[in-house]
């Protein structure tokens, strides 16, 4: 459950099983219309289910990111895509996990941030890599 789609599905299942949340009321079309942005907005309003969903997402992302950091020692980790919308919640969780679970020499020099390219980050970064590869040749 480390994607925006998985979190949306988890939230919908919890609401359908009777979990109390403002999300069902604030989304015009009902539970089936919930988006990741709706979850972030609900968390900003103090919705417990939305906050819990973002906390779980942050923890799950942290597992993978810590493994990447320990294996490859990158200088920068960027959140992009829809997940970027929840970066105010996710980045502190990820940074704390890196401090606790990654190798000390690696987490001291790493920057973790949200992409300024938002939901287009993957596409734009891929284009940049292609252009960079062509220019080097």
């Amino acid at each position: 459950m480390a994607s925006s789609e998985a979190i949306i599905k988890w939230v919908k299942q919890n609401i359908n099983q009777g979990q109390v949340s403002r999300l069902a009321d604030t989304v015009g079309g009902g539970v089936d219309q919930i988006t990741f942005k709706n979850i972030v907005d609900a968390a900003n309003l103090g919705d417990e289910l939305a906050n819990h969903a973002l906390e779980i997402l942050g923890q799950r992302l942290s597992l993978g990111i810590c493994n990447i950091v320990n294996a490859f020692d990158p200088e920068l980790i960027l959140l992009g895509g829809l997940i970027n919308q929840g970066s105010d919640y996710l980045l502190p969780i990820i940074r704390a996990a890196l401090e606790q679970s990654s190798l000390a020499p690696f987490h001291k020099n790493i920057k973790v941030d949200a992409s300024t390219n938002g939901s287009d980050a993957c596409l734009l970064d891929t284009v940049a890599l292609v252009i960079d590869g062509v220019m080097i040749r």
Side-chain angles (χ1 to χ4, degrees):
M1 187 167 83
S3 70
S4 57
E5 293 84 13
I7 284 295
I8 293 167
K9 182 179 178 181
W10 183 85
V11 166
K12 288 177 182 179
Q13 287 174 342
N14 276 271
I15 291 172
N16 286 331
Q17 293 173 359
Q19 181 78 31
V20 177
S21 175
R22 295 180 184 160
L23 277 164
D25 299 330
T26 58
V27 177
V31 173
D32 289 336
Q33 301 302 315
I34 292 173
T35 66
F36 189 71
K37 184 172 181 348
N38 296 139
I39 295 169
V40 173
D41 290 344
N44 288 335
L45 295 173
D47 188 277
E48 288 184 35
L49 179 64
N51 276 302
H52 187 61
L54 292 174
E55 183 179 317
I56 290 171
L57 178 58
Q59 291 168 351
R60 300 282 168 85
L61 286 171
S62 296
L63 290 173
I65 290 171
C66 285
N67 286 328
I68 289 169
V69 168
N70 287 335
F72 299 107
D73 187 21
E75 295 176 11
L76 175 66
I77 298 286
L78 286 177
L79 292 185
L82 291 177
I83 288 177
N84 195 17
Q85 296 172 352
S87 62
D88 289 344
Y89 291 90
L90 302 174
L91 289 175
I93 295 169
I94 293 167
R95 289 179 182 135
L98 283 170
E99 286 278 325
Q100 186 176 30
S101 302
S102 66
L103 300 171
F106 297 159
H107 74 253
K108 289 185 179 182
N109 297 320
I110 192 168
K111 182 177 180 184
V112 182
D113 212 344
S115 172
T116 57
N117 294 327
S119 61
D120 294 330
C122 295
L123 175 62
L124 293 172
D125 293 341
T126 301
V127 169
L129 284 172
V130 170
I131 291 171
D132 189 46
V134 169
M135 299 300 282
I136 290 175
R137 291 184 190 161

